[in-house]
Amino acid sequence: MAFSAEFDRYPLTGRFLAGRLRHELTDAEKTELEQLVVRTSTLEDGERLIARGDACEWSTILIDGFVLRTLDSGERRYAVSFHVPGDFVDLHCFALKRLDHNIDCVGRATIGQVPHSAITRVMAERPHLARLFWFSTLLDAAMHREWIMKLEQLTAPKRIAHVFAEIWRRLDMVGLGYPDGFETPLRQTDIAEMCGATAIHTNRALADLRRNGLADFQRGKVRIADRRKLEAYADFDPAYLYSDGALALRRTG
């Protein structure tokens, strides 16, 4: 995929379903999608885009940056998933009107807002594009299921390795990964929240990964010498991402 050309043409939505079903979008649908974004804004690190229970009349596509889905329990925050550029972070709001979780920025993030009235029109007039919106929300559910299973199966170092493997794959899909890893605004505290671990256990787990030559996390940069080794260690199968593997949907050739 000539990704840079695609993003130059559609700077707000050019990463939507990249590496998955973007090839199924017609030029007319891509143009329609781009025009759905009526407002853009940039949010700062730690800013809460949506709080649990907020009434929503719009949905948000992440244009640049990184956000977490989070839940608060007592004095702790738990990160239950993350989003990369090109993701709709809250299409669920269209049906639910209120979320049961929060959407929090990690680092600076640029977002585009789509009114629910526009999505209603898409549902009526562009059923194929509507189906891809539905696919996007079901993809979120697939990733949630994988996270639940891996939290039960894996030790803290392997959970972190699995998160790193997933982030790298998802950034690769949207043209933001590197051959030896990726950059992220995630901090060690965010990684702890993503893996259900304490700060002390997370620090030890990251040290284990570095010592064993699996991943080195330093100041927002994750460097990985051997992707296959990392993914094997984390028992990472990318099929649930619907990009590579048994459930791949990308066009070949």
Side-chain angles (χ1 to χ4, degrees), residues 29-190:
E29 287 172 332
K30 292 176 183 178
T31 300
E32 174 85 7
L33 177 61
E34 186 79 2
Q35 293 173 348
L36 290 178
V37 179
V38 299
R39 184 169 63 246
T40 63
S41 58
T42 298
L43 307 178
E44 298 302 321
D45 178 36
E47 194 166 346
R48 180 156 285 180
L49 171 61
I50 300 174
R52 182 181 188 271
D54 284 351
C56 301
E57 293 299 331
W58 41 265
S59 287
T60 307
I61 188 168
L62 184 60
I63 298 169
D64 186 50
F66 202 97
V67 301
L68 294 173
R69 293 181 187 270
T70 69
L71 290 167
D72 297 321
S73 180
E75 297 182 354
R76 288 196 63 181
R77 186 182 78 160
Y78 296 85
V80 294
S81 68
F82 66 90
H83 285 285
V84 300
D87 289 351
F88 266 100
V89 303
D90 57 0
L91 264 181
H92 316 76
C93 283
F94 175 69
L96 297 172
K97 298 306 178 185
R98 287 178 170 83
L99 294 181
D100 60 356
H101 56 275
N102 314 302
I103 306 292
D104 295 336
C105 296
V106 182
R108 180 174 289 185
T110 300
I111 62 168
Q113 293 180 317
V114 177
H116 285 173
S117 58
I119 298 177
T120 298
R121 178 173 53 78
V122 167
M123 295 293 172
E125 298 176 4
R126 291 195 177 273
H128 180 253
L129 181 56
R131 183 181 71 83
L132 295 186
F133 282 176
W134 189 18
F135 171 83
S136 176
T137 61
L138 295 177
L139 183 61
D140 288 340
M143 291 186 283
H144 287 154
R145 287 189 290 272
E146 188 75 8
W147 273 41
I148 291 169
M149 181 175 69
K150 294 306 177 184
L151 280 173
E152 291 290 329
Q153 287 182 334
L154 303 179
T155 62
K158 291 188 176 184
R159 290 200 298 271
I160 294 173
H162 196 277
V163 167
F164 284 168
E166 181 181 320
I167 293 174
W168 195 7
R169 288 275 183 163
R170 288 172 65 182
L171 288 175
D172 273 351
M173 290 181 215
V174 297
L176 296 174
Y178 298 106
D180 63 342
F182 58 92
E183 295 184 3
T184 173
L186 287 172
R187 296 165 289 256
Q188 187 168 306
T189 53
D190 301 313

Side-chain angles (χ1 to χ4, degrees), residues 235-249:
D235 191 26
F236 177 79
D237 179 351
Y240 70 100
L241 299 177
Y242 285 80
S243 176
D244 295 324
L247 304 178
L249 295 170

